[in-house]
Amino acid sequence: MPNRTSIYDNPLVRQAPISAFVALSALLTVALPVLEITHAQAFLASFVVTALATLVAATAAGLPRLVLLGAVLPAIDFVAVALLRAGTGNGASVFTSLVILPVVWAASRPGRWNIAYAAVGVAVVILTPFVINPSQPPAGSELVRLGITVVVFGTVAVIIHELARNARRSVAAAQVGEDAVRAEIDRAATVQRSLLPSTSLDAAHSVSIAGACLPAKTVGGDFFDWYPTPGGIAFSLGDVMGKGVGAGLIAAAVRSTLRSARTVDDASEALKRASDGLAAETLTSEVTFTTLFHARVSDEGVLQWADAGHGLSSIVRADGQVERLLSGDLPLGLGLELLNAWRTTTTVLQPGDTLVTFSDGVLDLFDGDAVEAVAALSREHRDPQALVQALSARAGEVPHDDDVTVVVLRREAAQVPSAAPVVDVSARTV
């Protein structure tokens, strides 16, 4: 379990209240006539000792767990309070109650011996004036005061020690639980990364393809995938509403249902299957939708695609022109099955054409029109892997709080059918 330290483990943070109250007592003693200095040397010595304790605490700020400092600093503070009491009226001093501060410090430390340590410190504070003035032995009332004070503050030390011990146990248990959760999330992230496709395709295919997924958290709601189909390849990019493990689980479910439709020729039919899978699993009142772009490319360059509320895909033609692949179809998982209609649209990818699709996290990386900015990058980086690397590098430079995912496909083969206009070949209603 990794080391975790609280700000209150810092010696300077613990010392600061004691130093502040001792300084305040000096100001009050000088400013108020009713408070007198009965022993100037002890009075001044208390501030010298307090300054020493503050200096030691500041020097040790980088070593908050050093056991020696945890024992020494409260001892110095007990001496400072004892000198302050001796210099401002002994038993009549109004500053005797300051002893509670080093008592709390000592008693809150691990080890039951710190309770006795605190009690001894209280006794030192009560008896120091008589050590400084041996000609004035303690009266019976002072001995009674000593006994009562030690018992009272000793009881306080016991209570503080138990409360601190219980708090440390609770923190330790919480840290163990947090470590277990982090380990589970890390494993989930590892599994999610293992579901991403390889960056290579069989040489028989007439396209080159590359992709990247950069989650905003350890586990993200974005995903991409590609795989061979009879006569070509299929690829997808999806964005689940939300982030974290829950979104990652839904992303994995959508990916698996899309893969199960690899033998289906119609892209919108694959979306229907993914929607059916979500409907079977999301029977609660919480709505979690998924935007999805799914496409099939034949070895002859025919592209058919369906878009479920995604709208961030475009073709950058070999001559640099940009064609947005827009659709008014709804996302998956809204629970409006009767209204959801996903259409399959076809077009042709000519040699040198590049299809780029990305998640809305990319919008945060650019000022203005992100689609045109990505298109400009695609003109500069014709190789899909180079374009993906350029966008990944920008994601590392520009602050963003959403998952960033991109897939780039480029048509490489020279043998394609003649160009055909965009045709809506089917409409599917779920």
Side-chain angles (χ1 to χ4, degrees):
M1 184 172 61
N3 261 342
R4 296 180 176 88
T5 60
S6 165
I7 186 175
Y8 301 107
D9 292 325
N10 189 313
L12 187 57
V13 172
R14 287 181 172 243
Q15 178 63 34
I18 302 175
S19 301
F21 277 111
V22 171
L24 178 62
S25 68
L27 179 63
L28 293 175
T29 301
V30 173
L32 299 178
V34 295
L35 300 178
E36 60 177 340
I37 299 175
T38 57
H39 195 292
Q41 293 86 347
F43 183 74
L44 293 175
S46 67
F47 303 113
V48 173
V49 173
T50 302
L52 174 63
T54 306
L55 179 61
V56 172
T59 304
L63 302 169
R65 294 187 177 275
L66 194 60
V67 175
L68 177 61
L69 291 173
V72 169
L73 279 174
I76 298 176
D77 289 324
F78 278 124
V79 172
V81 175
L83 291 171
L84 180 62
R85 181 173 183 270
T88 55
N90 298 339
S93 175
V94 298
F95 302 117
T96 303
S97 59
L98 290 181
V99 73
I100 190 63
L101 297 176
V103 165
V104 170
W105 185 335
S108 64
R109 291 180 52 77
R112 292 186 181 276
W113 65 272
N114 282 293
I115 298 174
Y117 181 20
V120 170
V122 173
V124 169
V125 171
I126 299 298
L127 294 176
T128 294
F130 307 109
V131 175
I132 294 176
N133 298 304
S135 60
Q136 298 179 358
S141 61
E142 285 297 325
L143 295 178
V144 172
R145 184 197 300 271
L146 171 63
I148 293 176
T149 304
V150 169
V151 169
V152 170
F153 283 101
T155 303
V156 171
V158 171
I159 295 172
I160 291 173
H161 183 79
E162 290 303 312
L163 290 175
R165 187 172 68 163
N166 290 336
R168 282 190 292 271
R169 286 177 175 174
S170 297
V171 170
Q175 289 176 351
V176 170
E178 180 184 343
D179 290 340
V181 171
R182 286 185 178 276
E184 289 295 330
I185 292 175
D186 289 340
R187 283 193 287 270
T190 300
V191 172
Q192 187 178 53
R193 287 192 296 270
S194 72
L195 296 177
L196 296 178
S198 168
T199 55
S200 61
L201 285 172
D202 190 284
H205 296 291
S206 59
V207 298
S208 57
I209 191 168
C213 182
L214 307 174
K217 295 185 176 181
T218 306
V219 178
D222 285 6
F223 70 94
F224 70 90
D225 193 19
W226 61 71
Y227 47 86
T229 61
I233 70 164
F235 68 97
S236 311
L237 186 145
D239 185 355
V240 180
M241 181 186 71
K243 304 179 184 68
V245 176
L249 291 173
I250 294 176
V254 174
R255 173 190 178 277
S256 64
T257 53
L258 286 174
R259 281 218 166 203
S260 70
R262 72 167 60 216
T263 59
V264 176
D265 292 333
D266 193 343
S268 62
E269 178 64 22
L271 266 61
K272 176 181 180 298
R273 292 195 180 187
S275 177
D276 290 343
L278 286 179
E281 299 297 333
T282 57
L283 300 179
T284 65
S285 59
E286 182 179 353
V287 175
T288 300
F289 62 85
T290 301
T291 63
L292 179 64
F293 178 81
H294 181 70
R296 307 291 179 94
V297 182
S298 71
D299 291 334
E300 292 77 25
V302 176
L303 167 71
Q304 60 165 275
W305 57 273
D307 187 295
H310 183 66
L312 295 174
S313 305
S314 59
I315 298 174
V316 181
R317 296 294 182 180
D319 61 2
Q321 296 297 312
V322 179
E323 296 180 16
R324 293 285 300 272
L325 304 183
L326 298 177
S327 168
D329 295 345
L330 295 174
L332 278 64
L334 288 178
L336 305 174
E337 289 82 1
L338 295 179
L339 299 179
N340 284 347
W342 296 296
R343 295 166 296 173
T344 298
T345 304
T346 62
T347 187
V348 173
L349 289 179
Q350 301 289 353
D353 291 348
T354 301
L355 192 158
V356 184
T357 181
F358 54 82
S359 65
D360 57 5
V362 175
L363 301 178
D364 298 333
L365 306 182
F366 300 94
D367 296 326
D369 188 349
V371 173
E372 180 53 41
V374 172
L377 280 175
S378 69
R379 298 185 192 103
E380 179 182 352
H381 303 282
R382 287 293 184 175
D383 178 66
Q385 188 62 43
L387 177 56
V388 168
Q389 289 176 349
L391 288 171
S392 298
R394 186 170 181 84
E397 299 168 355
V398 179
H400 59 93
D401 57 3
D402 202 356
D403 301 336
V404 172
T405 303
V406 60
V407 174
V408 181
L409 179 142
R410 177 179 167 84
R411 174 76 175 140
E412 303 288 1
Q415 296 170 353
V416 295
S418 58
V422 174
V423 180
D424 185 359
V425 298
S426 64
R428 303 285 180 172
T429 301
V430 182

